[in-house]
Amino acid sequence: MLRSLTLLASGILFGAGLAISGMLNPSKVAGFLDLFGVWDPSLAFVMGGGVVANFIGHRIVTRRTQPVFAARFNLPTTSGIDSRLIVGSALFGVGWGLGGLCPGPAVASLMLVPSEVGLFVVMMLVGLAVGRVVMAARPAVASQPE
Amino acid sequence: MTIDFEAFTPLASLAGGVMIGFAALLLMALHGRVMGISGILGGIVKPSGSGDVSWRVLFVIGTLVGPVIVMLIMGRGIDMTPVASGLMLPIAGFIVGLGTAIGSGCTSGHGICGLARLSVRSMSAVGTFMVTAIITVYIIRHVV
């Protein structure tokens, strides 16, 4: 019960933070990405605040041997830069620029403007599933077992 | 470059950013999970194992509800002006999903969490998607 409530709480904090930050506003996102037009630097403050809070906290949190409700810290083990990382991220940037929505804000907007972002979210989930199927079928060279 | 001072909201954005950072900390400290929303969603649409879905669903429900709570507390709507319409929205959504699945992360996982861990992979991912997003907006707003 407590475990479930804390999961809900972290999701709520994430969604609320996104709403307060301005990330749910695609035109504000586009204003931030429009470096060569009339630029709104606000979203650099979202990234800055999130990274700094997490940078300090992460070092304190992972000093413990394990998380409160789980056996271990599930941290990414992949290292090195491969073509997938770059190609996937490049694609994501194009989609983000086109719609002014990245995955968190798209989900967080769903209850407020379902008719506007509904199709975006559905197609994003389709894209995620297709991407995962493609990736599973073609394992990365770096992570292939000998 | 001209700064858009009318739209500039440094305090609200910083406060929202810190809240997002604390959400990531909470998820790591209590559940040992990276707060990457594209990965969390990916594990729901195509689960990699049993018993791995419920935590994801709970987090996503929270994400859905969070902005509603903000709206109720503030007593006014949240500014959400779209930039794309028609077919462009679902196309953008598909590219966002596909790209984040292939690149193993988005603005939350690579951005907030990866950068905070000083991950070289995440730094490369963030640098890449920032550049292609800026180019895309440049083309839409200043070329087409």
Side-chain angles (χ1 to χ4, degrees):
Chain A
M1 186 63 188
L2 189 60
R3 178 184 173 279
S4 301
L5 280 178
T6 58
L7 281 163
L8 265 177
S10 40
I12 289 172
L13 198 55
F14 178 55
L18 285 170
I20 290 170
S21 72
M23 291 286 294
L24 301 195
N25 189 354
S27 77
K28 194 171 181 66
V29 173
F32 171 66
L33 295 172
D34 192 9
L35 214 57
F36 302 102
V38 185
W39 187 48
D40 175 5
S42 307
L43 300 194
F45 287 70
V46 184
M47 192 60 105
V51 170
V52 170
N54 203 14
F55 176 83
I56 299 166
H58 188 77
R59 266 143 197 82
I60 300 166
V61 161
T62 49
R63 251 183 238 156
R64 294 173 52 100
T65 49
Q66 67 181 83
V68 177
F69 296 111
R72 63 187 183 90
F73 294 107
N74 282 283
L75 290 166
T77 49
T78 323
S79 60
I81 297 152
D82 48 26
S83 55
R84 282 178 171 192
L85 181 79
I86 302 303
V87 171
S89 299
L91 267 177
F92 163 49
V94 171
W96 190 30
L98 285 175
L101 286 168
C102 53
V107 170
S109 304
L110 202 53
M111 302 262 281
L112 304 180
V113 282
S115 58
E116 281 166 32
V117 299
L119 207 50
F120 180 99
V121 172
V122 169
M123 288 309 288
M124 179 177 84
L125 296 177
V126 171
L128 273 170
V130 170
R132 285 170 76 91
V133 169
V134 171
M135 289 299 102
R138 304 177 62 182
V141 178
S143 65
Q144 245 173 5
E146 287 298 315
Chain B
M1 182 198 293
T2 321
I3 305 273
D4 187 353
F5 282 109
E6 266 178 52
F8 191 37
T9 54
L11 288 180
S13 291
L14 187 67
V18 169
M19 286 171 72
I20 296 167
F22 273 107
L25 276 177
L26 207 55
L27 197 61
M28 183 53 69
L30 301 181
H31 305 279
R33 295 288 180 167
V34 173
M35 193 195 69
I37 189 71
S38 56
I40 292 174
L41 291 170
I44 297 174
V45 292
K46 189 179 176 295
S48 49
S50 61
D52 187 49
V53 176
S54 66
W55 76 269
R56 297 168 190 271
V57 171
L58 284 164
F59 183 85
V60 170
I61 293 172
T63 307
L64 288 164
V65 173
V68 179
I69 296 175
V70 169
M71 240 179 72
L72 291 176
I73 292 174
M74 293 200 315
R76 62 181 171 86
I78 294 163
D79 203 359
M80 304 166 88
T81 314
V83 289
S85 56
L87 257 185
M88 193 56 95
L89 265 177
I91 292 171
F94 182 77
I95 299 174
V96 164
L98 188 66
T100 53
I102 296 174
S104 346
C106 58
T107 354
S108 52
H110 280 313
I112 302 292
C113 298
L115 293 186
R117 290 187 300 112
L118 305 178
S119 151
V120 175
R121 265 175 71 81
S122 290
M123 289 177 198
S124 318
V126 174
T128 305
F129 67 64
M130 284 305 303
V131 167
T132 58
I134 288 167
I135 293 172
T136 304
V137 169
Y138 180 80
I139 293 173
I140 294 173
R141 289 199 165 181
H142 306 292
V143 179
V144 179

